[in-house]
């Protein structure tokens, strides 16, 4: 384990020199460790960065800063660079004889330079046939050298071309890695394809390149790419489609273009099946009234239509349980569980036996878990194959603990494989199950729901369990709420809080918030059985200090909870004094002042830090929202290891953009998780995001303790604001019309 950290000088420096050796280079990321002979310096300099495998003898201008590596000493960290071929006879000979060109070694390179002198590289670029004049180069070797020289020249020219048009070394490396020798030609022909095909390069970057290449601002390529960019931005906010006129308006603002070319661009994209335009009621026929048209990304349209058809089919299929069997089963399961189910619970269990599709929804303390336990016991008695799943690892673990049966994430249930390409469980290889139960169903977006239904056997039953009043999925759609509002699917709404749950102020206040009432706060904040606290503080800086004291001292001392694993700060925003970014910095300094760390941009990842995965990584089987702890950092291997529950996962330094600190996380990122204690800043700084469903979701993440820090006015705004942002979806209408 590393015991020291890499320190750096902040001053930016430029060095010029010739590559003396290449110690390491990764073809995928372009990360390189090389030695260069720098002008005016006696000793070669070790440079590290994304240099795309420079050839020995290449001349480099490298821009970056000095760093002090704990093991390897002083190095130069490259942020950007320019390369060019050498001009002296000695440099040219070293360049050609480096071994990077097939068929050329030091001896043959020496002969070539001796024959052509300072004109060697010009000869190779313009009169390559003359290479046959050199002793020892026959026809076979000549072809070998020409093929390798041309390939290397194309890559080098592409790198120079891309960097000259404002792309960084890392971006240029990705493009060359994707397109190879054709990179420059493809980008010159259509730079906008970069936005759709290269990760990390969006429309704005592609548009800047296109402008430098002389593309007209009204070019159809720009219009079409811009429309897709705006559509992607809007569906990134949870929409499945965008109204036609609204999309034209937003795209016009973004592109500075009149409606007519945008409408033509939309029609072209529709013809090319990159988007789908249809009436908002979900009918197959067209309409000339654009105000009533919906514009979908093609994938989302396919998923929404598929979901509606599959759910309507399931809703119309009767269960295999006979009425007499169901009555006997109800009596048996109550004896087995040694309790009498409440009327709504008996209704839910009966409907689970009589229908192939059922939605069970309700808030905390309403008995959802008891119902699921009863259903699994009944199916188990029949020796029926069951599969239990949830969108997140933590939710799946809770489901398993509640039922005593194995539960998986939906991705693992459907056997996602990045190497094989997609989900391995589908309509051609469905799940081996007669019953599938999915918890935390409010988190499922349209794409994942489509894959789940695709893998569901035609004779299996599906039960969706969740709280429709929580925040909708991070991904597109509002699947659970749309299914319920369609009134075409069997639904049980649980609204009774059970006696044992009523003892929890967390549960009671969650229901009060959901009903539009202010949470009740005890007059005496020190009473022993209180689990819901409010600390009034309007000043943001003072609120920050209170949160630091709560997490580091007050809650651990009073409730015996670990400062890191037992307490989670939840915040509505990323920016600001009480946003996730600043809170994480302050909490990291207070809770984990480690000297062992690695820098990734402005972010510091230290040993024992609490971190969160912020995008799905199917190869590692780690998904958006998973929280873990850094257990080891190895500077030499450029890796660190993170423990997620019982699994230990390795991350290369180049993969750290997938992580963020998790001492404080957004409420959206906390969906599907529960924590012993949550601390929530509720201030008017967060005015835009003070919404009832967000406040409700935050409070329901806590098992033992909720502490609110802020103002009553901010709480009142959140409680009274039930106008959660509308999501454009047509799933409920499709279900109702089918």
């Amino acid at each position: 384990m590393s015991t020291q950290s890499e320190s750096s000088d902040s001053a930016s420096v430029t060095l010029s020199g010739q590559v003396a050796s290449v110690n390491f280079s990764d073809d995928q990321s372009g990360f390189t460790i090389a030695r260069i002979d720098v002008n005016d310096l006696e000793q070669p300099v070790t440079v590290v960065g994304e240099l795309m495998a420079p050839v020995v003898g290449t001349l480099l201008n490298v821009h970056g800063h000095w760093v002090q590596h704990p093991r390897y000493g002083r190095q130069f960290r490259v942020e950007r660079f320019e390369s060019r071929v050498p001009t002296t006879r000695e440099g040219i000979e070293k360049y050609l004889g480096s071994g990077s060109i097939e068929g050329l070694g030091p001896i043959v390179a020496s002969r070539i330079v001796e024959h052509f002198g300072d004109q060697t590289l010009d000869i190779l670029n313009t009169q390559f046939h003359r290479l046959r004049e050199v002793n020892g180069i026959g026809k076979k070797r000549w072809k070998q050298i020409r093929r390798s020289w041309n390939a290397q020249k194309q890559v080098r020219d592409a790198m120079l071309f891309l960097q000259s048009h404002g792309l960084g070394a890392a971006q240029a490396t990705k493009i060359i890695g994707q397109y190879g020798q054709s990179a420059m030609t493809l980008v010159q022909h259509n730079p906008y394809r970069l936005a759709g095909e290269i990760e990390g390069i969006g429309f704005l970057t592609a548009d800047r390149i296109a402008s430098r290449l002389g593309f007209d601002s009204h070019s159809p390529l720009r219009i079409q790419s811009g429309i897709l960019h705006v559509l992607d931005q809007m569906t990134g906010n949870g929409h499945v489609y965008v109204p036609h006129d609204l999309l034209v308006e937003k795209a016009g603002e973004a592109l500075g273009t009149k409606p007519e070319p945008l409408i033509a661009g939309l029609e072209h994209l529709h013809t090319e099946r990159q988007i789908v335009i249809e009436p908002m009621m979900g009918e197959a026929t067209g309409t000339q009234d654009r105000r009533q048209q919906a514009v979908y990304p093609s994938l989302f349209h396919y998923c929404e239509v598929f979901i509606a058809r599959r759910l309507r089919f399931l809703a119309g299929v009767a269960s295999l349980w006979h009425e007499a069997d169901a009555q006997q089963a109800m009596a048996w399961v109550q004896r087995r569980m040694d309790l009498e189910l409440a009327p709504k619970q008996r209704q839910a269990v009966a409907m689970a036996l009589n229908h192939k599709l059922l939605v069970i929804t309700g808030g905390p303390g309403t008995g959802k878990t008891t119902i699921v336990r009863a259903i699994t016991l009944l199916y188990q008695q029949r020796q029926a194959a069951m599969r239990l799943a949830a969108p997140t690892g933590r939710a799946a673990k809770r489901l398993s603990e509640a039922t005593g049966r194995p539960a998986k994430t939906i991705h693992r249930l459907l056997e996602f494989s990045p190497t094989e390409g997609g989900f391995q469980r589908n309509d051609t290889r469905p799940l081996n199950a007669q019953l599938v139960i999915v918890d935390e169903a409010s988190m499922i977006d349209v794409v994942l729901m489509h894959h789940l239904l695709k893998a569901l056997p035609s004779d299996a039953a599906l039960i969706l369990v969740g709280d429709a009043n929580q925040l909708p999925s991070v991904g597109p759609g509002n699947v659970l709420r749309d299914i319920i509002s369609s009134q075409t699917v069997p639904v049980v709404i649980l609204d009774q809080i059970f006696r044992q749950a009523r003892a929890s102020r967390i549960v009671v206040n969650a229901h009060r918030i959901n009903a539009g009432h202010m949470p009740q706060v005890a007059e005496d904040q020190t009473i022993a059985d209180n689990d819901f606290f409010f600390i009034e503080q309007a000043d943001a800086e003072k609120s920050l200090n209170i949160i630091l004291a709560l997490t580091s001292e007050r809650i651990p001392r009073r409730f015996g909870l670990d400062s890191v694993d037992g307490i989670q700060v939840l915040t509505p925003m990323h920016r600001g004094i009480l946003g996730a970014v600043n809170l994480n910095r302050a909490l990291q300094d207070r809770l984990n002042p480690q000297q062992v760390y690695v820098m990734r941009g402005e972010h510091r990842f230290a040993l024992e830090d609490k971190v969160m995965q912020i995008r799905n990584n199917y190869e590692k089987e780690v998904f958006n929202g998973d929280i873990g702890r850094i257990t080891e950092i190895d500077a030499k291997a450029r890796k660190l290891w993170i423990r997620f529950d019982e699994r230990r996962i390795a991350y290369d330094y180049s993969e750290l953009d997938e992580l963020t600190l998790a001492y404080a996380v957004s409420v959206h990122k906390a969906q599907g998780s529960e924590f012993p204690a949550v601390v929530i800043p509720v201030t008017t700084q967060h005015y835009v995001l003070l919404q009832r469903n967000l406040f409700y979701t935050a409070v329901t993440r806590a098992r033992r303790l909720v502490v609110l820090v802020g103002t009553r006015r901010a709480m009142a705004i959140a409680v009274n604001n039930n106008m959660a942002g509308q999501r454009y979806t047509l799933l409920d209408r499709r279900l109702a019309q089918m």
Side-chain angles (χ1 to χ4, degrees), residues 469-471 510-517 667 689-699 714-724:
N469 292 309
Q470 288 188 17
L471 289 170
H511 284 271
R512 287 184 61 82
I513 291 167
N514 190 44
H517 303 303
V667 180
L689 292 174
L690 289 176
Q691 298 171 355
R692 186 186 300 174
N693 64 347
L694 186 141
F695 191 21
Y696 172 78
T697 301
V699 167
M715 269 199 295
I717 293 170
V719 167
N720 292 319
N721 180 12
N722 199 28
M723 301 298 292

Side-chain angles (χ1 to χ4, degrees), residues 455-517:
L456 188 75
S458 58
D459 61 345
L462 174 65
I463 298 176
L464 300 174
V465 184
D467 187 345
N469 292 309
Q470 288 188 17
L471 289 170
S473 57
V474 175
N478 204 345
V479 174
L480 183 63
R481 181 166 285 195
D482 280 353
I483 292 172
I484 295 170
S485 65
S486 73
Q487 299 183 353
T488 59
V489 170
V491 176
V492 176
I493 300 174
L494 305 171
D495 50 15
Q496 177 187 350
I497 307 175
F498 288 93
R499 185 176 59 185
Q500 61 270 31
R502 286 200 300 269
S504 167
R505 281 194 175 86
I506 296 173
V507 172
V508 171
N509 281 331
H511 284 271
R512 287 184 61 82
I513 291 167
N514 190 44
H517 303 303

